[in-house]
């Protein structure tokens, strides 16, 4: 149980374009999902908390107008990197945990490797 | 606030043991341990919810000292498949998100 599907696995885009990444909980509902970014040989840094039906909560230093998060349903959250630039190239990972299951760890999607050229 | 992990890296020969430590300056609700292989998403190993709790799966176990706000991951008789970067993640009270330490890179060699 507790499977999170993330698409695409990788994407290469031109500088200035926008990229959308999807994160779906397949067998559970998630009122809250989390988006992380990981640069090479570094830890996963939390970018934002996605809340179903309300605005996302962004961590300090993360531009909310650049990283648009939409959590339209209990099983889907999307991250759109707008006007991407080479410095946005990174590994983006979403995670979620079934509501009310304190004994479960957070399940991660398989990640999306974004390369901006 | 990011938990502190130590050591940053360790190299083991097959069959050797290792301990990875994780500490926080804030009160913890739970501690989570993950292993990440290069280019892949982190894989959940275990969660510790109560101070003093110890848990294990096969030859990997962990403990959580709530009072000291510390957790340790124990790898016994390491195998080549144990290689990867180990992250501890901590959750404070309430539905706060998981915050990861900087990771410990473990390499097991034959």
């Amino acid at each position: 149980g507790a499977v999170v599907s993330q698409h695409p696995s990788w994407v290469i885009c031109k500088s200035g374009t926008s990229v959308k990444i999807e994160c779906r909980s397949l067998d559970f509902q998630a009122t809250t999902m989390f988006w992380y970014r990981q640069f090479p040989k570094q830890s996963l840094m939390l970018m934002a908390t996605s809340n179903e039906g309300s605005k996302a909560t962004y961590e300090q230093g993360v531009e909310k107008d650049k990283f648009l998060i939409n959590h339209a349903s209990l099983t889907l959250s999307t991250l759109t990197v707008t006007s991407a630039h080479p410095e946005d190239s990174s590994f983006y990972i979403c995670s979620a945990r079934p509501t009310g299951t304190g004994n479960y760890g957070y399940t991660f999607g398989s990640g999306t490797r974004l390369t901006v050229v | 606030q990011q938990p502190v992990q130590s050591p940053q890296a360790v190299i083991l020969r097959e069959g050797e043991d290792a301990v990875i430590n994780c500490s926080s300056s804030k009160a913890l609700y739970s501690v989570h341990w993950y292993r990440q292989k290069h280019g892949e998403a982190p894989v959940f190993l275990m969660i510790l919810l109560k101070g003093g709790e110890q848990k294990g799966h096969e030859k990997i176990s962990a403990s959580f000292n709530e009072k000291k706000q510390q957790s340790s991951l124990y790898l016994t008789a390491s195998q080549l498949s144990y290689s990867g970067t180990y992250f501890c993640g901590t959750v404070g009270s309430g539905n706060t998100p998981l915050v990861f330490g900087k990771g410990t890179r473990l390499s097991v060699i034959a």
Side-chain angles (χ1 to χ4, degrees):
Chain A
V3 177
V4 173
S5 174
Q6 186 174 341
H7 293 279
S9 298
W10 59 269
V11 57
I12 301 172
C13 70
K14 290 187 177 180
S15 187
T17 60
S18 296
V19 173
K20 180 186 283 188
I21 302 170
E22 290 191 350
C23 181
R24 292 180 185 272
S25 56
L26 297 185
D27 50 1
F28 65 98
Q29 293 183 332
T31 55
T32 304
M33 292 186 177
F34 304 96
W35 287 95
Y36 293 84
R37 179 169 55 184
Q38 186 178 36
F39 292 106
K41 297 186 179 180
Q42 293 188 23
S43 184
L44 294 93
M45 298 305 294
L46 180 68
M47 297 176 66
T49 301
S50 171
N51 304 298
E52 187 270 334
S54 64
K55 291 182 179 180
T57 304
Y58 291 82
E59 295 300 301
Q60 193 171 11
V62 178
E63 300 174 59
K64 60 182 180 182
D65 294 330
K66 181 172 184 62
F67 299 98
L68 301 179
I69 291 174
N70 185 285
H71 196 148
S73 75
L74 288 172
T75 60
L76 174 64
S77 175
T78 61
L79 168 68
T80 301
V81 183
T82 63
S83 186
H85 290 285
E87 57 265 30
D88 298 323
S89 298
S90 187
F91 192 48
Y92 293 85
I93 314 176
C94 67
S95 77
R97 186 175 75 176
T99 304
T101 55
N103 290 327
Y104 285 90
Y106 290 74
T107 300
F108 285 82
S110 54
T112 298
R113 189 164 301 282
L114 171 65
T115 303
V116 184
V117 298
Chain B
Q1 193 160 359
Q2 188 175 39
V4 178
Q5 277 186 245
S6 63
Q8 290 185 330
V10 59
I11 300 174
L12 298 174
R13 290 199 177 274
E14 267 187 298
E16 292 182 337
D17 303 338
V19 180
I20 300 172
N21 299 303
C22 175
S23 64
S24 174
S25 59
K26 298 179 74 173
L28 300 176
Y29 174 74
S30 62
V31 178
H32 306 231
W33 286 96
Y34 291 80
R35 177 171 60 209
Q36 186 179 30
K37 301 276 186 178
H38 180 67
E40 300 177 8
V43 173
F44 171 69
L45 294 177
M46 64 188 78
I47 180 175
L48 299 113
L49 292 173
K50 302 174 185 176
E53 184 173 40
Q54 297 184 50
K55 191 175 284 188
H57 178 66
E58 296 182 347
K59 295 181 180 178
I60 298 176
S61 61
S63 63
F64 177 24
N65 186 320
E66 189 176 14
K67 289 184 178 179
K68 292 186 177 180
Q69 295 162 191
Q70 294 175 348
S71 177
S72 295
L73 185 72
Y74 307 92
L75 299 106
T76 307
S78 58
Q79 305 168 16
L80 294 175
S81 61
Y82 287 3
S83 294
T85 300
Y86 289 79
F87 292 99
C88 72
T90 55
V91 177
S93 59
N95 190 26
T96 56
L98 191 61
V99 179
F100 287 95
K102 291 189 175 181
T104 296
R105 184 168 297 179
L106 180 75
S107 300
V108 181
I109 58 176

